[in-house]
Amino acid sequence: MAKLFLLALGSRGDVQPFAALAMGLRDAGHEVVLATPSGFQGLVGGGNLAHVEVSPSLTPADVMAACHSTYDTPDFDLEALTKQHPIRVRRQLMTGWMELMDGVMAAITEAGAGADLVAWWEPTGNIGRHLAQSLGVPGVAAGLNPENWMSSTIPVPPPTLPWPPLWLPPSWQAEYIRFGHVVFWQWTASWYRTRVNRWRTDVLGLPALPHRGWVAEQVATPALRLSAVSPLVRDLPPEWRGTVVPTGYWILPAVDEWTMPHALRTFLDDGPPPIFASMGTAVSFPPRLGKMVIEAARLSGVRLVLGTGWDGRGGIEADALPPTVIAVGDVPHESVFPLMSGVVHHGGGGSVAAALRAGIPSMALPVIAGQTYWGRQIAALGVGPDPHAAKNVTLDQLTVAMCQMVNDEPMNRRAAELGAQLHLEDGVASGVAAIDGLLSNTPLRRPSASKPHR
């Protein structure tokens, strides 16, 4: 039995898959410590899985609120603000983020002491690399998003960088994205390197990172990389093959104690399956979007269930909804999505996985980063309409998409077939097997007595 330290930083879509892997490793006989932001005790559960909270909540909304003083105002528009003050906004966000990370670095030093292996959820958990290096143990980088690891064939630009126009030749689009990642990560490194170096030298007993060169690979390269996405949904880029293991989705077992609210059960029993709409933890989207989704449902003749993510930012008044619409807030997607006729979401990896496994069509209204990629992938698989950016989507586009999800029989058939295939996979078991193989084939390396944690 090995002691494994797993670091999952981010929102629910980041933490939930890693919690599933942690429970699989626990069931395989390992001693597991799962480190997350606050607010996930109910999700993680008890049993033999040790859970530590190493930061405040790190949903995009919480991070924005902590990093930007005007986030909670109704007219907040991150994209417009960034265009107006590109340097100031990025500096403000990076400073706030690194202040949050100071606390995380201190907490994981204590929580991960004595681990035989460190695994982290990319990209925010990159600091797990330093901890693994200091302990002298194997490091495992895991990811759900397509932008997790650098590659000349990476399909997604870095956060805050616009997508290249589709009219550009594919080779130019690829070069634009690749160069964007180099610039983005080198720029962010210039912000966090000083703090990380202080942690490395003063606490971990490691040498400081130099101030030149590609920062990501100046730390010990992970011994294993796991892609928690089904091979049926995404092919690995050529440069990842042989270095990244595609395991399939990591699905947390259904919550036995969850009981469907009476109002939702009554609503579902009163008519045909509705469409579920949620923007999850999307940072910023137009205030008009919520009302537009409701109007599109009316025009397309479908009923609507509103999940999380609106929070007053979509122009929705929960106490003034028409009888064909119900607001339910946070509900387990694995339990609720199979009861729907389609899903409208922001394109987050977790929401996409749940919709695909439910065997129903879905469409994305992407806001940032890899969400556009997942929206395009849904359409390419033939299991949902084309994505439309949340900031630009029109009422006509939403209405047509909802009609298509409900009435397009070939699309529904393909979605059902893919969902059935995904349920035959066991991504957690594949991930556990990969880590067990690493542990059995890699001699553990312990830090020397001259480099204690201080």
Side-chain angles (χ1 to χ4, degrees):
M1 180 179 73
K3 180 179 179 180
L4 313 180
F5 180 70
L6 275 61
L7 176 62
L9 298 179
S11 59
R12 182 174 183 134
D14 304 301
V15 174
Q16 184 165 314
F18 227 48
L21 178 67
M23 292 179 184
L25 290 165
R26 175 202 62 191
D27 294 342
H30 297 293
E31 179 186 352
V32 181
V33 177
L34 176 64
T36 74
S38 63
F40 292 104
Q41 185 57 44
L43 178 71
V44 172
N48 298 320
L49 182 63
H51 173 226
V52 294
E53 296 180 343
V54 295
S55 78
S57 176
L58 290 181
T59 68
D62 289 322
V63 172
M64 285 300 305
C67 297
H68 202 284
S69 58
T70 66
Y71 175 75
D72 286 327
T73 58
D75 58 349
F76 178 83
D77 186 332
L78 177 61
E79 183 176 15
L81 196 63
T82 303
K83 287 182 178 178
Q84 185 177 4
H85 305 288
I87 303 300
R88 188 182 74 187
V89 170
R90 286 175 170 85
R91 181 185 293 119
Q92 191 172 6
L93 294 178
M94 286 302 301
T95 300
W97 175 253
M98 284 314 305
E99 289 174 354
L100 288 172
M101 287 299 101
D102 281 343
V104 174
M105 289 186 287
I108 68 171
T109 305
E110 179 179 354
D116 298 308
L117 177 144
V118 176
W120 57 90
W121 189 251
E122 300 271 13
T124 54
N126 258 322
I127 55 176
R129 284 184 175 215
H130 307 276
L131 183 63
Q133 184 182 16
S134 73
L135 293 170
V137 301
V140 177
L144 178 67
N145 294 322
E147 70 271 27
N148 287 143
W149 301 299
M150 278 295 298
S151 166
S152 64
T153 55
I154 195 169
V156 178
T160 74
L161 186 70
W163 279 74
L166 293 176
W167 49 262
L168 277 178
S171 61
W172 289 22
Q173 293 186 43
E175 185 62 23
Y176 167 91
I177 292 173
R178 186 201 66 78
F179 182 73
H181 275 277
V182 171
V183 172
F184 177 81
W185 289 115
Q186 289 297 92
W187 180 78
T188 55
S190 69
W191 283 92
Y192 69 70
R193 196 180 329 232
T194 299
R195 280 185 161 92
V196 168
N197 275 342
R198 188 182 307 124
W199 178 48
R200 285 173 61 90
T201 58
D202 296 352
V203 179
L204 300 182
L206 294 172
L209 297 175
H211 285 267
R212 297 180 63 185
W214 176 238
V215 65
E217 298 303 333
Q218 290 170 358
V219 189
T221 302
L224 178 66
R225 287 183 168 102
L226 302 177
S227 174
V229 179
S230 170
L232 297 173
V233 176
R234 177 188 68 188
D235 290 331
L236 291 181
E239 293 180 12
W240 288 6
R241 294 170 190 163
T243 61
V244 177
V245 178
T247 64
Y249 289 116
W250 299 345
I251 304 301
L252 196 66
V255 182
D256 294 333
E257 62 269 21
W258 184 76
T259 301
M260 182 178 295
H262 176 72
L264 177 57
R265 171 52 63 193
T266 300
F267 182 83
L268 294 176
D269 291 342
D270 280 347
I275 283 178
F276 189 97
S278 169
M279 290 302 287
T281 54
V283 172
S284 175
F285 54 87
R288 62 184 174 83
L289 184 59
K291 290 182 178 179
M292 186 186 298
V293 169
I294 293 174
E295 178 64 9
R298 185 189 70 81
L299 292 173
S300 57
V302 302
R303 304 189 312 144
L304 186 66
V305 175
L306 297 172
T308 56
W310 305 110
D311 302 328
R313 307 186 74 86
I316 294 176
E317 297 179 13
D319 57 351
L321 297 174
T324 55
V325 180
I326 185 174
V328 296
D330 187 16
V331 294
H333 292 173
E334 287 282 326
S335 300
V336 173
F337 280 10
L339 305 176
M340 304 292 149
S341 60
V343 182
V344 175
H345 50 69
H346 61 306
S351 297
V352 171
L356 293 176
R357 283 175 48 84
I360 58 175
S362 71
M363 75 166 297
L365 302 176
V367 175
I368 194 173
Q371 296 163 4
T372 297
Y373 170 83
W374 288 124
R376 292 177 179 176
Q377 198 70 3
I378 289 169
L381 291 167
V383 296
D386 291 332
H388 297 284
K391 65 180 180 179
N392 296 328
V393 66
T394 66
L395 178 60
D396 285 346
Q397 289 169 336
L398 270 175
T399 303
V400 170
M402 288 186 180
C403 289
Q404 190 177 8
M405 285 191 283
V406 173
N407 299 315
D408 189 325
E409 292 185 5
M411 178 182 289
N412 276 270
R413 184 169 58 252
R414 286 190 294 268
E417 291 171 352
L418 179 57
Q421 291 177 299
L422 292 175
H423 275 275
L424 297 176
E425 297 181 343
D426 192 340
V428 169
S430 297
V432 170
I435 289 176
D436 278 341
L438 173 64
L439 288 169
S440 63
N441 294 320
T442 305
L444 298 182
R445 297 159 293 171
R446 295 299 186 186
S448 67
S450 63
K451 292 185 178 181
H453 289 185
R454 293 190 289 272

